[in-house]
Amino acid sequence: MVTNNNLQSAIRSIPDFPKKGIVFRDITTLLKDKTAFAKTIDIFYDRYKDKHIDKVVSVESRGFIFGSILAYRLNAGFIPVRKPKKLPAATIREDYQLEYGTDSLEIHTDAIQKGERALIIDDLLATGGTVRSHSETCYKTWGRNCQFGIFNRINLPQRTGTFKRI
């Protein structure tokens, strides 16, 4: 039986990828294990099923896997966050820090309406830059805090709660 505690074994660690000194957490091993994959979705669903989530926000590409399934299970809309210049309408851009540099993400300006509850779902937490970027965008654009759910190799979900404006 798969439990929260042994899901960590379903995620492969690859040292020195994408550059020396970085340990990459490869979730493809979790995705190919149908029991572990289902359990991961169930954990997130159980955590948020009573939170009245209107939109699930996720970053390409791995975040789309979990976010879209969770949006379906929660009967919520799905909001993709993409690399710059990949979304066709007006966007908001946020820059953030990676373990090995900087990057930027964009979300449509009309993605979340005032009063809607948004849940940010991402796969693995490294520096927290991606989630911080989402949270900052959520606050600046819609004037509210967003819930977030992330898992890492130690325990799923690793961090849950509300990111406040930084």
Side-chain angles (χ1 to χ4, degrees):
M1 179 175 159
V2 176
T3 67
N4 294 12
N5 294 332
N6 66 12
L7 280 172
Q8 65 183 339
S9 64
I11 300 172
R12 175 173 40 206
S13 296
I14 302 174
D16 299 323
F17 184 84
K19 70 182 216 179
K20 190 165 180 59
I22 303 295
V23 178
F24 183 79
R25 307 300 181 193
D26 179 14
I27 65 165
T28 62
T29 48
L30 180 138
L31 296 173
K32 73 179 183 177
D33 180 333
K34 66 182 178 184
T35 306
F37 186 33
K39 180 64 176 176
T40 302
I41 298 299
D42 291 345
I43 289 168
F44 280 115
Y45 174 74
D46 289 343
R47 169 72 172 94
Y48 296 104
K49 67 184 176 188
D50 298 322
K51 302 292 185 192
H52 310 288
I53 301 298
D54 298 302
K55 303 283 173 69
V56 175
V57 179
S58 291
V59 174
E60 65 176 83
S61 62
R62 297 182 306 183
F64 287 1
I65 298 165
F66 298 99
S68 59
I69 295 168
L70 190 57
Y72 172 76
R73 294 270 314 267
L74 293 171
N75 194 33
F78 175 74
I79 307 297
V81 177
R82 307 261 345 245
K83 302 282 183 174
K85 300 183 181 176
K86 299 289 185 182
L87 293 171
T91 60
I92 301 160
R93 180 182 175 136
E94 284 290 331
D95 299 322
Y96 65 98
Q97 192 69 36
L98 296 164
E99 287 178 285
Y100 46 88
T102 59
D103 210 343
S104 300
L105 293 170
E106 294 182 343
I107 185 171
H108 279 135
T109 57
D110 63 355
I112 302 169
Q113 302 305 309
K114 189 172 182 109
E116 288 185 318
R117 293 175 182 230
L119 170 63
I120 299 168
I121 291 291
D122 206 356
D123 61 339
L124 298 172
L125 181 66
T127 63
T130 307
V131 172
R132 185 172 290 113
S133 174
H134 289 358
S135 178
E136 186 69 14
T137 299
C138 210
Y139 183 86
K140 284 195 297 192
T141 307
W142 301 286
R144 63 173 307 147
N145 297 327
C146 295
Q147 296 241 351
F148 69 97
I150 304 168
F151 69 86
N152 76 6
R153 72 180 191 87
I154 304 302
N155 191 4
L156 288 93
Q158 167 66 12
R159 304 174 194 270
T160 59
T162 303
F163 245 70
K164 301 202 182 289
R165 185 166 192 259
I166 299 163

